[in-house]
Amino acid sequence: MSPLEAIAALFTVAGIWLTGQRRVSGWPVSLIAALLYLVVFAQARLWADSALQLAFCAFLLRGWYAWSHAPREQTGVRVASPRHTALERDILAGLIASAALGYGLAHWTDDPAPFTDAALSALSLVAQIWTARRIMLCWPLWVAIDTAYVALFLTRSLWVSAGLYAILVGLAANAWYHWRSTARGAGLDKI
């Protein structure tokens, strides 16, 4: 465990918790975490996850902007109601990107888990887009992704990150519960 990995983990927990509470401040905190994890993953030769952090930075900036201008309630930004066709399109795009990225990583890098790394990276982008759009289904997707990341990080001896992602599973489940309660109160219980 490096001190950088521990600091990145702390910023990640804080950012996810704030986002789960529908607070705009979660976005800049998560931006710092992504920049720190960019270095951690590069040192572990997880190239897709390193590149993912760069993409996250762009999405985090976009999410920060979007949430800063989103409709608000007394306790935070309002949960949005998605169109199912958009959700299906996003998942399909994530799966196609997973296959293409996995193939590239397997053939052109020394990534020790190219298809797992690729799938988790591509689906993380989908989940990040859904989070920025305030779509409640981002949270069960994050639960699945974070659970798989725990296993990946254990195989790479990234103990702090594995522990962090185990915590993130709980934070995502809590955020899902929180957002569902908010959505029911606003009459959006069909999402």
Side-chain angles (χ1 to χ4, degrees):
M1 168 185 76
S2 74
L4 182 63
E5 185 182 7
I7 293 167
L10 290 174
F11 271 93
T12 300
V13 168
I16 300 290
W17 184 83
L18 289 165
T19 303
Q21 297 301 306
R22 299 180 297 125
R23 303 285 182 218
V24 175
S25 58
W27 294 91
V29 172
S30 292
L31 180 62
I32 293 168
L35 292 169
L36 294 171
Y37 260 111
L38 169 67
V39 177
V40 170
F41 291 144
Q43 291 173 346
R45 294 185 354 248
L46 290 170
W47 304 122
D49 282 311
S50 295
L52 177 63
Q53 299 314 303
L54 291 173
F56 271 169
C57 287
F59 285 113
L60 288 164
L61 288 170
R62 176 67 177 120
W64 188 0
Y65 176 83
W67 277 39
S68 295
H69 295 88
R72 295 185 188 281
E73 298 168 344
Q74 188 174 18
T75 58
V77 297
R78 187 176 303 151
V79 175
S81 181
R83 294 185 325 268
H84 288 287
T85 55
L87 300 179
E88 292 163 356
R89 177 204 62 217
D90 293 348
I91 289 293
L92 180 60
L95 294 174
I96 291 168
S98 295
L101 181 57
Y103 178 83
L105 290 172
H107 287 87
W108 297 305
T109 74
D110 60 349
D111 191 317
F115 288 97
T116 302
D117 195 8
L120 294 176
S121 295
L123 293 174
S124 290
L125 290 176
V126 172
Q128 189 64 47
I129 290 167
W130 289 2
T131 305
R133 291 181 182 160
R134 305 177 330 275
I135 297 170
M136 187 185 346
L137 292 176
C138 72
W139 295 113
L141 183 55
W142 279 124
V143 167
I145 292 166
D146 292 343
T147 300
Y149 266 124
V150 169
L152 176 64
F153 293 149
L154 288 173
T155 67
R156 300 302 303 151
S157 299
L158 293 170
W159 310 115
V160 171
S161 295
L164 165 66
Y165 275 71
I167 292 168
L168 295 184
V169 170
L171 287 173
N174 181 60
W176 187 16
Y177 172 79
H178 180 72
W179 282 33
R180 283 177 54 133
S181 297
T182 299
R184 278 193 202 106
L188 299 173
D189 56 349
K190 294 183 180 172
I191 55 175

